[in-house]
Amino acid sequence: MARPSATTVAIGALAGLTNVAAVLALYARAGYPTLESASSVAVLAVTTFAVGLLAVSVSAHTRLLAPVAGFVFVLGATVSLELTTPNPEWSTLDGYVIVDGPTHVASYANTWYVWLSLLLVAGGLEFAIRRGYGVGDDRLRNLPAFPLSRSELAWSVLGLGALVGVATTLLVLRAGIRPSVAAIAVLAFATAVAAVPLAALYARGIVSPAILFVLLVPYLLTVEVFVTTDSPVHILLFGPYALVLALAWALESVVRSRLRGWDGGRFARENPT
């Protein structure tokens, strides 16, 4: 894969700066105490810059639409949510900062790893569909052709799946999952729930697990980010849901192969037809 060009990096950097500017402006508007600490502002700036930089650079380098579209949507939704809800009210008690009211922009900024993982997985799913089914794949750049080698498939599936697993684990630890050892199960389950639809697509072009993943997993993670439920234990449902996705993979494979004659098309390394 070719290295990103200077133009690609510049476009990504502009997106990163836009993300930083939007977040800091919303922090300033609501008077977040975070702005009083230079170190906290620096961390906030670096992480929000990274999300915009990486998501948009991936799109600029590969011509995938999902990462940049998802970034614009999430940032826009956060800004809209922040502007249409009351500002939080701040006070102190025994040296601790007490907040009364919603802090949506902080939820968005502090869980940057969730958005980045979902945007990259969305790009991975888009890549498989467009390349494998020939949906505008002539416009894609700097991406491998199908079928993928075994090593390419394994690294893609496990790498992207692990991103969701790690991000989800960090999220539930931040939310205070109890017991904390349950985070190990969350890591395994969240990795699996992302890896199964990726494997189904990359290996055989099976799409139903990806559809089911998109319909539920991002929603549950978004609820956990912005609502912060009493306990994030419900994220453990990702384990059983991964089994549901595997079952959908098997059922679609049987139906398409027996009724439609699907043999894997571009996805299969050994295509009998």
Side-chain angles (χ1 to χ4, degrees), residues 20-220:
V20 172
V23 168
L24 291 181
L26 292 173
Y27 266 61
R29 173 180 176 272
Y32 278 75
T34 301
L35 299 179
E36 299 174 3
S37 169
S39 60
S40 296
V41 171
V43 171
L44 183 66
V46 168
T47 53
T48 51
F49 178 79
V51 174
L53 172 68
L54 294 175
V56 176
S57 291
V58 166
S59 284
H61 187 57
T62 62
R63 308 289 177 84
L64 292 170
L65 301 176
V68 64
F71 167 70
V72 171
F73 174 78
V74 174
L75 176 58
T78 300
V79 171
S80 176
L81 191 61
E82 187 74 9
L83 295 178
T84 55
T85 54
N87 282 341
E89 297 181 1
W90 307 94
S91 61
T92 58
L93 179 64
D94 296 330
Y96 293 95
V97 175
I98 307 298
V99 59
D100 181 21
T103 55
H104 300 304
V105 66
S107 297
Y108 163 74
N110 292 329
T111 56
W112 59 273
Y113 40 84
V114 172
W115 312 120
L116 186 57
S117 67
L118 290 177
L119 294 176
L120 293 179
V121 167
L125 295 174
E126 179 192 352
F127 158 63
I129 291 172
R130 289 181 61 182
R131 184 71 94 198
Y133 286 105
V135 183
D137 66 315
D138 57 318
R139 300 186 182 93
L140 297 178
R141 298 290 183 271
N142 304 307
L143 289 169
F146 274 129
L148 299 180
S149 67
R150 286 183 172 83
S151 61
E152 288 174 330
L153 192 153
W155 280 108
S156 298
V157 169
L158 294 179
L160 290 172
L163 285 179
V164 175
V166 171
T168 305
T169 303
L170 292 174
L171 180 62
V172 298
L173 287 173
R174 177 176 178 269
I177 190 171
R178 294 291 183 273
S180 57
V181 71
I184 298 175
V186 170
L187 175 62
F189 292 164
T191 299
V193 85
V196 169
L198 287 163
L201 255 179
Y202 281 53
R204 296 295 294 180
I206 301 301
V207 298
S208 57
I211 294 172
L212 293 174
F213 172 88
V214 170
L215 287 176
L216 184 63
V217 174
Y219 169 76
L220 287 180

